Amino acid sequence: MSQTQERQPTVTPVRVVVALCLIAPFVAMLWVSSYAKVEPTFIGIPFFYWYQMAWVVISTALTMVAYTLWQRDQRSRKGGASK
């Protein structure tokens, strides 16, 4: 790397969003007291169960968003390094 070429910052807003997308499901599932209840039920399923199943779908979507943002970030860094 030449001395005139600047290094890109390691922590960027995109990387913060990626981290939040990956951490959110863990926080939601580890905070058991927030969903350890029966009401409200959804089509007869207690809240405890449908909340966890909803997070399966939400986690998938958040992981897809994180992956897409990460790939975009990596492409921009490689493109910026060749200039």
Side-chain angles (χ1 to χ4, degrees):
M1 180 186 300
S2 69
Q3 291 181 4
T4 58
Q5 188 178 20
E6 293 182 29
R7 288 182 45 168
Q8 295 178 346
T10 303
V11 178
T12 62
V14 171
R15 288 183 174 196
V16 171
V17 171
V18 167
L20 290 174
C21 285
L22 296 175
I23 291 171
F26 289 104
V27 172
M29 291 291 92
L30 290 175
W31 188 18
V32 177
S33 63
S34 70
Y35 63 91
K37 52 190 170 186
V38 176
E39 297 294 329
T41 60
F42 177 69
I43 59 171
I45 301 170
F47 181 74
F48 181 78
Y49 295 111
W50 69 257
Y51 179 82
Q52 291 179 63
M53 290 300 106
W55 270 102
V56 170
V57 176
I58 294 167
S59 297
T60 302
L62 288 174
T63 303
M64 289 171 36
V65 168
Y67 178 77
T68 303
L69 290 173
W70 182 259
Q71 291 299 319
R72 187 181 304 165
D73 183 60
Q74 293 303 302
R75 280 194 304 271
S76 70
R77 284 177 175 272
K78 285 181 183 176
S82 64
K83 289 182 181 179

